[in-house]
Amino acid sequence: MKKDDLISIWIAIIIGFIGGGYLYVAHFTKLYGTDEVDTQAEQEEFSLVAEAYGSCGTNCPAFQVKNDGTYRYRYFTEVNQPPIVREGTLPLTEQRALRRALDENELAAQSQIVSPGVCNSATGGVDIKYGVVYKAQQYRIDSCGTDVDSGGDLWQAFSMIWQYLQTVE
């Protein structure tokens, strides 16, 4: 082998290690690394967890939105297949609508337990339950079992988030 060939081989090996190291650190570790846990102060400020249930069985979508607008969306494309998880940041329009709709009195009112007439999930449809942490208070809102105002700003903001997440690729 010539000296130029050896130099070319070593350059290729070095670039391969650098590229492989970058891919490992930037992508692979995110797939198998542990999720970061928010501090107590961050959790108390705001978080939203939503989960659909009913006719979708074990393949129902769910999402989590954190105080900084980042989300984690889990959904299924086929029955008995592993879920697809998308992460990102909500657009400012959805973040603003959610912030405007958050009101302690409204959250408390819609968290009141009621006896529903007929739930969507009981008739082959889908219901949604939300867990909201806002200003160190926890609220549970369920489309089947709490006093939901489906025409109110809060419920509309939740719907906007679902609509946006269904368009995420």
Side-chain angles (χ1 to χ4, degrees), residues 13-106:
I13 290 172
I14 290 170
I15 290 175
F17 274 113
I18 291 171
Y22 169 76
L23 288 175
Y24 175 78
V25 170
H27 300 288
F28 183 74
T29 55
K30 289 181 183 177
L31 295 175
Y32 295 100
T34 58
D35 289 337
E36 293 180 13
V37 177
D38 292 337
T39 64
Q40 185 70 22
E42 289 172 330
Q43 288 179 348
E44 288 177 353
E45 196 165 335
F46 172 74
S47 70
L48 169 65
V49 176
E51 184 177 0
Y53 65 95
S55 65
C56 50
T58 59
N59 296 317
C60 295
F63 70 82
Q64 175 189 26
V65 176
K66 294 183 181 180
N67 188 46
D68 61 359
T70 59
Y71 67 83
R72 185 179 174 100
Y73 177 50
R74 183 201 66 183
Y75 65 99
F76 297 83
T77 55
E78 295 181 29
V79 177
N80 298 326
Q81 292 297 315
I84 297 172
V85 177
R86 299 276 189 243
E87 295 182 8
T89 303
L90 289 174
L92 289 177
T93 54
E94 279 77 7
Q95 289 184 48
R96 286 185 191 126
L98 184 58
R99 293 278 179 209
R100 279 192 305 269
L102 288 174
D103 177 66
E104 294 164 79
N105 295 329
E106 194 64 33

Side-chain angles (χ1 to χ4, degrees), residues 117-136:
V118 177
C119 295
N120 291 335
S121 57
T123 60
V126 175
D127 280 303
I128 303 171
K129 56 185 169 184
Y130 296 94
V132 180
V133 174
Y134 183 62
K135 294 185 178 178

